[in-house]
Amino acid sequence: MTAPQADLSGWSVKPFTGAGYTHDVYRKGAGPGVVLIPEVPGIHPGVLALGNHLVDNGFTVAMPSLFGEPGKPASAGYTIATIARACVAREFAAFATNKQRPVSLFLRALARDVNASTPGKGVGVIGQCFTGGFALAAAVDDSVLAPVLSQPSLPIPLTAAGRSDPGLSQSELTIVADRCANEGLCAMGLRFSADKMSPRERFTTLKQRLGDAFEVIEIDSHPGNAHGFGRTAHSVLTDEIREVDGQPAYEARKRVVEFLTQALT
């Protein structure tokens, strides 16, 4: 059994401009809005399958194409080339700590736009891998009620400071923490236990700041784990999904849908 995949069938596309940046945004579905930020190398078939799953569960999904070629299958060469380009883009500030990333301003504008055109109390934002932390940075905006950080990998964890950095500036994190304390905002984080690209220290920092408002799902990927996840297991909601009850990534996806439903409806 392999991870679910899909193509661009049924998705509409239109450019969206926010905070001085313009990206194509793919949309599909009806119901409360969810901004699904693709992982590197882009809107690949696994990300599209996740989008379709959210649509099937009653959401409107908006996917901004921040990098890569939408619909193109992931491969090692394609992924490496995309990372190389993304890491030098000022929009993403891949190595900076305590940094407000310009892409977060674009995503907040997109979240407001999606919120204005969909029913529900607000919108959810799912970030993955390179974009994982962008979901929490988007939650500075009041329109975002359900940020989901799946294996957040920025800043690139090359140093102790990088590993513990939450992926957004301290001023942004203070606003999010205040929303958690006073407005009932909750966030969710997902990672594999042995994933060095999404270090545990990052979640420790977020747990310290957000407390019980930050729900963590950590899936065992250490050697000898019961479900056979490899030491490089990384993408919780795409590559590692096997649609079998009890499979931890599959169960994590169920919880994400439940989290979004509870927050937005």
Side-chain angles (χ1 to χ4, degrees), residues 19-33:
Y21 292 91
T22 300
H23 295 287
D24 282 345
V25 175
Y26 289 77
R27 297 184 189 236
K28 191 177 187 180

Side-chain angles (χ1 to χ4, degrees), residues 203-248:
F203 278 17
T204 299
T205 297
L206 291 170
K207 193 69 174 176
Q208 289 171 344
R209 292 296 303 273
L210 306 182
D212 290 342
F214 185 52
E215 177 182 346
V216 175
I217 295 177
E218 186 177 82
I219 299 171
D220 184 12
S221 61
H222 285 107
N225 68 85
H227 292 272
F229 291 112
R231 62 181 180 82
T232 59
H234 178 64
S235 297
V236 177
L237 298 176
T238 57
D239 294 349
E240 300 298 337
I241 289 275
R242 302 294 182 270
E243 293 182 315
V244 178
D245 286 340
Q247 200 259 6

Side-chain angles (χ1 to χ4, degrees), residues 125 135-137 139 144-149 173 176 180 184-190 206-207 210-217 255 259 263:
V125 181
L136 196 62
V144 178
L145 298 185
V148 178
L149 296 69
L173 184 55
V176 173
C180 290
L185 178 72
C186 291
M188 174 179 275
L190 316 169
L206 291 170
K207 193 69 174 176
L210 306 182
D212 290 342
F214 185 52
E215 177 182 346
V216 175
I217 295 177
R255 175 58 191 140
F259 173 69

Side-chain angles (χ1 to χ4, degrees), residues 76-102:
Y78 176 33
T79 298
I80 291 169
T82 303
I83 289 174
R85 287 191 293 271
C87 279
V88 298
R90 191 183 72 85
E91 188 176 5
F92 305 128
F95 296 94
T97 56
N98 187 22
K99 176 69 175 177
Q100 175 176 279
R101 291 169 168 79

Side-chain angles (χ1 to χ4, degrees), residues 122-142:
V123 300
V125 181
I126 301 175
Q128 308 170 84
C129 177
F130 194 87
T131 69
F134 301 171
L136 196 62
V140 167
D141 195 274
D142 290 345

